[in-house]
Amino acid sequence: MKRLTIILITFFAAAAAGSAQTRTYSDNAAGTFVFGLESYFYGESGSLDFEAEGTTFRASIGADGVFVGEQQLSASAGDVVIGIHDFTGNKVPEFVMAVRAEGSIGVSVYSLETGRWTLLKTMTLRSAKEVRVFRQVLSMRQGDVLSSWTWHGGRFDYKASDGSAEPTFQ
């Protein structure tokens, strides 16, 4: 009985602590390539409603691009994930837009500043298949190399498991 109690306590503690990295049934059903966002939408057209600083926003993907309210963030649509995650830890979610095209993934993170969404950083990696988000870290794997961007000190810092420099694309 004691062993069963320990197993159950361990199971529930692990389930509560590790939910941000877990693929859910809806992740698998949608076929998304970004995991760990607090809330997201993945598809060719649709929307996501969320709250930031007491205001409700509607983010949408459509033929004309990606919008948050009336503000256009991207002119292209297609294989796009939109979502929210609090990277900065200020209890105001950042808006995340990930685009998968031509063998690469680009992730742009926007912060709400005086009522407008302002780009914090765009992170792009070729040959990446998926993006993982956990706490203040966004990571992508390219072959055997894990690339991570961590929010601290007011910016995203890059680190690769092989020590390489942050990739830049023109």
Side-chain angles (χ1 to χ4, degrees):
M1 183 65 177
K2 183 177 179 181
R3 184 175 180 180
L4 177 61
T5 303
I6 291 172
I7 290 171
L8 289 174
I9 290 171
T10 304
F11 171 77
F12 287 115
S19 62
Q21 282 286 323
T22 304
R23 280 187 205 200
T24 64
Y25 173 78
S26 57
D27 291 338
N28 290 332
T32 186
F33 58 96
V34 180
F35 304 99
L37 294 174
E38 294 167 23
S39 182
Y40 72 91
F41 175 81
Y42 174 57
E44 290 183 18
S45 66
S47 63
L48 171 72
D49 294 334
F50 64 96
E51 188 174 312
E53 292 185 347
T55 303
T56 300
F57 292 91
R58 173 165 283 175
S60 61
I61 302 171
D64 296 332
V66 176
F67 290 82
V68 178
E70 299 298 318
Q71 185 179 351
Q72 185 174 18
L73 300 181
S74 173
S76 64
D79 207 11
V80 178
V81 174
I82 55 174
I84 58 168
H85 185 79
D86 186 10
F87 287 100
T88 59
N90 64 357
K91 302 202 185 320
V92 177
E94 282 71 47
F95 180 74
V96 179
M97 177 180 64
V99 179
R100 181 169 55 184
E102 301 174 17
S104 67
I105 295 177
V107 180
S108 298
V109 178
Y110 295 85
S111 173
L112 183 60
E113 296 178 15
T114 61
R116 292 197 49 83
W117 293 94
T118 305
L119 181 65
L120 292 176
K121 175 109 177 148
T122 296
M123 298 148 270
T124 304
L125 196 60
R126 289 194 175 114
S127 302
K129 295 191 179 5
E130 63 185 34
V131 178
R132 299 271 178 169
V133 175
F134 185 70
R135 296 187 182 157
Q136 280 75 34
V137 180
L138 184 144
S139 61
M140 293 184 255
R141 183 172 295 282
Q142 182 181 34
D144 292 337
V145 179
L146 180 65
S147 295
S148 298
W149 290 264
T150 304
W151 178 266
H152 57 75
R155 63 190 171 101
F156 282 99
D157 291 325
Y158 177 78
K159 186 170 186 175
S161 61
D162 67 350
S164 61
E166 183 172 6
T168 57
F169 302 103
Q170 303 302 329

